[in-house]
Amino acid sequence: LVPKPHANATMLATFTGVRSAVDAVSELIRRRVVPAALELIDSDSLKAIEDNLGGGFVPRGTTAALIVEVDGTPRGAEEDLDRVVDACRSVGATEISRARDEAERDRIWSLRRQTSAALKATGLVKINHDVVVPKGRVPELFDVIAEMKRAYGLRVASFGHAGDGNIHVNLLITPGDTDEAARAKQAERFLFVRR
């Protein structure tokens, strides 16, 4: 068993494009930062949260967010979070919010906790897939998702554990729209059958 860490430090970084957020994940890997948690939330997920659970979580114009938590000794956790902040800024983070206390930490995590509920609240049919790739290939996965959205004209909300390469890819379909449902079936094949 691993003992509970003495301290943790948590932050939310926002971006104007999912590619920048994905680049931040790659930058953390390059800098050998090993977060305790690294969660990515894309624009369709953020829009669902804003529309269905109220605004104020992220600034206007945000199309992707990263929640990063590090742990260890109090000093070590803060030093690691400084490195995370530098990495996020280096790829264009628009705003960085560091939790100063447990209430702020809980508020940051509430964004991630509410994502699935917000997507359900849209009233759309949510076809969820857990897609797992090596963490170094998370950028490639988001390129495939972007191509899939364009090719099939679908809303696709993606979020999840970027730190271990497990991304929840949710195709959002209008209930009763048979054309959209057919395109979703094609999109699923596109997502999972790669040459």
Side-chain angles (χ1 to χ4, degrees):
L1 297 176
V2 176
K4 187 175 177 181
H6 295 290
N8 55 47
T10 308
M11 58 157 277
L12 172 69
T14 59
F15 302 86
T16 56
V18 73
R19 187 61 207 210
S20 295
V22 171
D23 288 346
V25 172
S26 297
E27 188 63 17
L28 292 176
I29 293 168
R30 190 184 73 73
R31 294 182 186 210
R32 300 185 190 278
V33 176
V34 183
L38 177 59
E39 297 287 317
L40 190 150
I41 305 169
D42 80 346
S43 60
D44 285 300
S45 302
L46 290 170
K47 183 177 184 324
I49 292 166
E50 295 288 313
D51 289 350
N52 296 289
L53 298 173
F57 282 100
V58 295
R60 282 191 186 277
T62 297
T63 58
L66 278 182
I67 297 170
V68 187
E69 186 163 283
V70 294
D71 59 22
T73 64
R75 182 176 175 183
E78 287 303 322
E79 287 173 356
D80 280 350
L81 202 64
D82 288 341
R83 292 167 54 211
V84 171
V85 168
D86 289 344
C88 289
R89 284 195 174 127
S90 76
V91 296
T94 54
E95 187 173 294
I96 293 175
S97 303
R98 291 172 80 136
R100 292 175 299 216
D101 55 33
E102 194 60 30
E104 287 185 6
R105 178 177 179 257
D106 187 61
R107 178 168 166 71
I108 288 171
W109 278 110
S110 71
L111 181 66
R112 174 61 179 86
R113 284 193 303 267
Q114 295 185 65
T115 305
S116 285
L119 290 172
K120 286 179 186 169
T122 64
L124 299 170
V125 175
K126 181 169 83 85
I127 303 170
N128 178 46
H129 295 289
D130 278 4
V131 180
V132 181
V133 297
K135 63 185 176 183
R137 296 185 70 182
V138 168
E140 183 182 338
L141 172 59
F142 274 90
D143 289 344
V144 169
I145 293 168
E147 188 179 344
M148 182 178 69
K149 288 167 87 168
R150 281 191 304 272
Y152 297 99
L154 296 171
R155 290 162 288 189
V156 181
S158 302
F159 63 95
H161 323 297
D164 63 11
N166 179 8
I167 303 298
H168 310 298
V169 180
N170 298 272
L171 284 69
L172 304 175
I173 309 302
T174 305
D177 188 325
T178 55
D179 179 60
E180 217 170 42
R183 283 184 279 129
K185 286 285 185 199
Q186 294 172 324
E188 287 175 309
R189 183 168 177 78
F190 179 85
L191 180 63
F192 290 108
V193 181
R194 304 296 294 162
R195 290 181 180 84

